[in-house]
Amino acid sequence: MGHMLSNMSNSLHLSSSVLSGLCSNDCPEDVKPFGVNQPGPYVMYTTVDSNGYLKNASAGQLSQSAHFSLQLPYTVLGLGRSANFLDHLFVGIPRKPGETDIRKQEWTAIIPNSQLIVIPFPHNKPRSWSAKLYLTPSNSVLLTAIALIGVCVFILVIIGILHWQEKKADDREKRQEAHRFHFDAM
C-alpha cells in the first residue's frame, strides 16, 4: 500500500476496508465483533469536484480470490485534486441466497486521505453498522496548525497594544481630572 500511495501523493484518496463483523465463537453481549476482511463488499462515493460537477466512483473489495494474483484486502478510491469532503459514501455487502433485503449503509462528510473501516454488524440491520475513521496527519496539518497559532499570536499582540494604549489614555485622563479637582478646591 505504501508504494501505491506514494504515487498518489499529489492527489487525494480514501482507503476503505469492510470487515465481516463476525466472531469466531459466540460473541459476548457487550463486545462488538470486528471480524476479518470479507470478499464482495461494494464501496461507492459521490462528491462535487472543484468545477461543481458531480463525481462518483466505486470499487469492489476482494472481488476474486483465485486464478490471478490476490487483490489487496481493502479498496483505494482515488479522489483526484478535490479538497472537499466526500458528500456520500455508500457501503453494501452481499446478501445470502434467497434474501431480498438490501444490505447498504450511507455515511456523509468523510474526510479525504483517511482510512475507513466499516463493521457491518449485524448484517441484516445496516443502520446498526459502524464505521471507524482513521486519519494520518500530514505536513499540511502541521502547517495549518502553525498558521493558526501565528494568527492567534498576532491578534493577541494587537489586543495587547490596544489595551496598553487604552490604559495609558485612562491614566492620562485620571491625572488631568485629579489636577482639575485640586484647582477647583482652591
Side-chain angles (χ1 to χ4, degrees):
M1 180 170 156
H3 174 67
M4 182 177 60
L5 294 182
S6 66
N7 292 338
M8 296 173 53
S9 63
N10 292 334
S11 63
L12 300 175
H13 66 278
L14 174 73
S15 171
S16 65
S17 180
V18 182
L19 304 179
S20 62
L22 299 174
C23 289
S24 58
N25 298 329
D26 290 334
C27 293
E29 290 295 321
D30 57 341
V31 175
K32 186 165 199 165
F34 278 72
V36 295
N37 298 26
Q38 66 171 322
Y42 183 75
V43 180
M44 182 182 94
Y45 76 85
T46 62
T47 190
V48 177
D49 66 8
S50 58
N51 297 324
Y53 297 111
L54 186 65
K55 176 180 179 182
N56 59 13
S58 60
Q61 177 179 294
L62 294 174
S63 60
Q64 58 131 41
S65 62
H67 304 296
F68 289 112
S69 60
L70 292 178
Q71 299 171 343
L72 296 172
Y74 51 85
T75 58
V76 177
L77 298 169
L79 306 177
R81 292 211 166 258
S82 174
N84 293 331
F85 290 89
L86 293 179
D87 295 329
H88 303 279
L89 180 79
F90 301 93
V91 174
I93 60 172
R95 309 184 276 239
K96 291 181 182 177
E99 275 191 22
T100 58
D101 293 338
I102 295 176
R103 296 177 171 185
K104 179 178 79 169
Q105 176 64 342
E106 173 187 5
W107 286 273
T108 59
I110 302 295
I111 301 170
N113 286 349
S114 61
Q115 182 179 8
L116 182 75
I117 296 179
V118 177
I119 304 164
F121 179 78
H123 289 172
N124 57 351
K125 295 181 183 173
R127 293 280 177 211
S128 300
W129 296 359
S130 63
K132 301 197 179 298
L133 187 70
Y134 295 98
L135 298 175
T136 304
S138 64
N139 288 340
S140 61
V141 173
L142 179 63
L143 294 176
T144 303
I146 290 171
L148 179 63
I149 290 170
V151 168
C152 290
V153 167
F154 179 70
I155 290 172
L156 285 174
V157 167
I158 290 174
I159 290 172
I161 290 171
L162 292 173
H163 180 70
W164 178 71
Q165 288 177 343
E166 183 70 26
K167 194 172 184 180
K168 194 173 165 183
D170 287 346
D171 289 344
R172 191 177 326 120
E173 285 179 17
K174 282 182 183 178
R175 273 188 265 125
Q176 287 177 353
E177 187 68 34
H179 188 63
R180 193 175 321 138
F181 179 76
H182 290 295
F183 285 119
D184 290 342
M186 293 181 160

